[in-house]
Amino acid sequence: MASTPLVSSSVFFIITTILTIASTATIKMSLSPLPHRPSSDRHQILNNLATSSIAKTHRHKHHLDTKINTSSSVLKASILYSDYFGGYTISLGFGTPPQTLSFYIDMGSSLTWFPCCSDCQRTRFPTFNPKLSSSTKYLRCQDPKCSWLFGPDIASVCQQQDNCPKYSFEYDGSYNTNELLLLEENLVFPHKTFHDFLIGCSSKKPNFGFPTGVAGFGRGPESFPSQLGLTKFSYCLTSRQPLDNPNTNSTMWFETGSDSGDTKTPGLSYTSLYKNQIASKPHLQEFYYVKLRNIFVGNTRIKIPYRFLVPATDDKFGGTIVDLSASYTFMERTLFKLVTEEFEKQMGNYSRAVDYITWFNPCFYISPVDYKRINVPELIFQFEGGAKMKLPMANYFSFVEDDIACVIIYTDINGLLPVNSGPAIMLGNLQQQNYYIEFDLANNRLGFAKQICV
């Protein structure tokens, strides 16, 4: 059973930023309750995961010898998958001398923040202490970085105050409303320091099991990639199976100041990256969109309505995003039905587990000893330019009980949750494991290739 794929638990959050031109701006943050330990009931795990993933949406046999640039412009870091919330964390050092904290990598928001304290002797959780850093500076109102968050109209507010306005955090669940100060601080990597990095400072402690802060990898000017001046960032996600050993390190690379120009990484297939230019909601402009052209189940091409292939306005579904911070692949209900019905058709010789209630579908009665011999159709995503992502079976077909296996994609079943807009397809991190994924920001393209990630 050690080699049998198992679905792991995840609970994570969505950050939606609402900027108001006043002395205080507002960030609304919804945080799902976190268990004290992973549930042993895989059925409950799936329901918990899919419910929280929907909320966030509302916001290998062949080894590729990928030649990673190893020049001094490339920084390397370990990232860790957390079974508590289904995302990846990275340890970062801020301040002089550096204080190291754990940050959740969020590709749906741009602001990076951590908890601070006024009296750190009383805290029982990791926190940043500005008093211990000689490089802490409060963001000035006239600083151009203040307008990153508040827009050009901030100038009228700056006539009445010296420091950039505060944000307020509004948490659901166990959090209370709290103000967020904006700081400039040194971000310290081995052998390289980034000065005057804009970061938010919260006085609220994180929930149990949650990383200390959030590293915003979205597409805003205040994002982690933008402030570091990254030309590329990439990662290789190790398999997080089996269920009882999910906390496995993966690797992330950051490339700055590259002179490679339009040079592509050998062995990668590429497709273009896009922004959502027609939506007005800020969180829809944070995502990394790709132009999906076809989905294949086995040899059958799914006929996808065109409206789902392009980014949509605020009140509709449309477009495809690649998201490290989402556990599993989400599909709008119409697309989900087209894809899952084709799986049902091609796997008609296997007994359906129709009474098994889960967010994933379809499910089948499968003996674990027969897993490697069963005939599961390939799931293939084809993008603009012809690049194909042919998923290994372990990335989309997995056991959820000892004798029940499901296609691991999900949707908002029967409209149980109020999800009525956003990306039509969200490629989650399970589907990306054992792939080398490259976000070439300088050339606005996504590169990928199968690779055994170690």
Side-chain angles (χ1 to χ4, degrees):
M1 288 293 293
S3 62
T4 302
L6 299 172
V7 175
S8 55
S9 68
S10 308
V11 184
F12 47 77
F13 62 92
I14 181 172
I15 300 178
T16 302
T17 304
I18 302 176
L19 301 179
T20 59
I21 303 304
S23 61
T24 300
T26 300
I27 299 177
K28 290 193 174 181
M29 308 183 72
S30 176
L31 183 65
S32 300
L34 297 171
H36 288 278
R37 55 185 174 276
S39 170
S40 59
D41 183 346
R42 284 183 231 153
H43 186 187
Q44 186 60 45
I45 284 172
L46 294 178
N47 282 323
N48 290 345
L49 165 66
T51 300
S52 58
S53 297
I54 289 249
K56 186 182 187 303
T57 305
H58 203 55
R59 307 212 309 128
H60 302 323
K61 296 290 184 181
H62 302 286
H63 183 276
L64 172 70
D65 185 20
T66 304
K67 296 181 179 179
I68 305 299
N69 187 338
T70 57
S71 71
S72 60
S73 65
V74 176
L75 305 173
K76 180 180 179 180
S78 291
I79 58 176
L80 180 66
Y81 175 79
S82 173
D83 196 53
Y84 278 106
F85 56 89
Y88 284 83
T89 62
I90 183 171
S91 293
L92 298 171
F94 281 92
T96 308
Q99 302 171 44
T100 302
L101 301 172
S102 175
F103 292 79
Y104 168 80
I105 299 172
D106 184 20
M107 297 182 69
S109 69
S110 288
L111 183 63
T112 296
W113 62 269
F114 50 30
C116 295
C117 60
S118 57
D119 184 359
C120 288
Q121 293 180 351
R122 298 181 181 179
T123 63
R124 297 182 179 179
F125 58 93
T127 188
F128 181 83
N129 186 348
K131 294 180 181 179
L132 300 180
S133 173
S134 62
S135 51
T136 298
K137 294 184 292 186
Y138 291 98
L139 185 66
R140 307 296 292 177
C141 198
Q142 297 291 348
D143 193 306
K145 295 176 185 176
C146 189
S147 64
W148 288 353
L149 301 171
F150 294 93
D153 292 340
I154 190 63
S156 61
V157 176
C158 292
Q159 295 176 2
Q160 287 82 40
Q161 60 189 77
D162 293 330
N163 290 335
C164 189
K166 298 176 181 179
Y167 277 132
S168 65
F169 278 79
E170 187 176 308
Y171 286 96
D172 293 334
S174 61
Y175 280 63
N176 298 315
T177 300
N178 180 42
E179 289 187 329
L180 176 70
L181 296 173
L182 297 172
L183 309 177
E184 290 182 304
E185 189 50 277
N186 288 348
L187 170 56
V188 182
F189 285 90
H191 313 299
K192 189 173 182 65
T193 297
F194 294 88
H195 299 280
D196 299 331
F197 186 96
L198 172 63
I199 192 164
C201 174
S202 169
S203 63
K204 286 292 181 179
K205 68 178 182 179
N207 206 340
F208 179 84
F210 198 72
T212 305
V214 172
F217 271 68
R219 308 204 72 172
E222 72 275 21
S223 74
F224 189 93
S226 294
Q227 290 200 68
L228 268 59
L230 299 185
T231 54
K232 294 179 182 179
F233 69 88
S234 54
Y235 50 79
C236 201
L237 305 182
T238 58
S239 175
R240 59 181 190 248
Q241 313 299 344
L243 177 63
D244 58 0
N245 185 30
N247 294 326
T248 303
N249 283 327
S250 297
T251 305
M252 198 167 200
W253 294 269
F254 310 112
E255 185 168 343
T256 62
S258 174
D259 295 326
S260 60
D262 194 42
T263 303
K264 296 181 178 180
T265 301
L268 300 191
S269 298
Y270 282 92
T271 190
S272 297
L273 283 171
Y274 296 89
K275 285 186 178 181
N276 188 336
Q277 302 285 8
I278 62 174
S280 61
K281 290 181 179 179
H283 75 278
L284 293 179
Q285 299 174 13
E286 299 278 4
F287 296 134
Y288 293 87
Y289 284 85
V290 290
K291 286 189 177 179
L292 182 71
R293 286 295 174 252
N294 293 295
I295 298 176
F296 292 89
V297 177
N299 294 322
T300 301
R301 182 174 69 88
I302 304 300
K303 296 180 179 179
I304 305 173
Y306 179 76
R307 68 182 184 277
F308 296 126
L309 295 178
V310 293
T313 54
D314 298 345
D315 58 348
K316 296 180 181 179
F317 281 107
T320 300
I321 67 170
V322 180
D323 193 356
L324 176 63
S325 38
S327 276
Y328 301 143
T329 290
F330 167 87
M331 292 185 183
E332 184 277 338
R333 275 183 285 161
T334 301
L335 298 178
F336 180 84
K337 188 171 186 291
L338 292 172
V339 171
T340 55
E341 285 182 347
E342 187 58 35
F343 270 103
E344 293 173 12
K345 178 181 178 181
Q346 295 189 33
M347 297 183 68
N349 293 332
Y350 298 95
S351 178
R352 286 280 313 281
V354 293
D355 295 328
Y356 183 76
I357 301 175
T358 178
W359 291 86
F360 303 118
N361 188 63
C363 296
F364 304 89
Y365 290 107
I366 304 290
S367 170
V369 297
D370 294 332
Y371 176 79
K372 292 185 178 181
R373 297 194 295 266
I374 60 178
N375 184 22
V376 180
E378 274 193 305
L379 179 59
I380 302 171
F381 296 99
Q382 183 180 29
F383 303 98
E384 180 187 57
K388 289 185 178 181
M389 181 177 282
K390 299 181 180 181
L391 297 183
M393 187 171 73
N395 286 24
Y396 66 93
F397 190 77
S398 195
F399 278 89
V400 295
E401 295 286 358
D402 290 340
D403 61 347
I404 298 177
C406 301
V407 176
I408 306 299
I409 57 176
Y410 74 97
T411 193
D412 177 16
I413 297 177
N414 298 323
L416 297 178
L417 295 174
V419 180
N420 53 18
S421 64
I425 298 175
M426 180 174 66
L427 295 178
N429 59 50
L430 176 72
Q431 282 67 40
Q432 299 175 53
Q433 67 182 17
N434 282 324
Y435 270 86
Y436 177 78
I437 306 288
E438 176 187 278
F439 288 78
D440 185 347
L441 305 178
N443 297 292
N444 288 314
R445 62 193 179 198
L446 178 81
F448 59 87
K450 285 183 183 179
Q451 178 170 316
I452 300 302
C453 301
V454 293

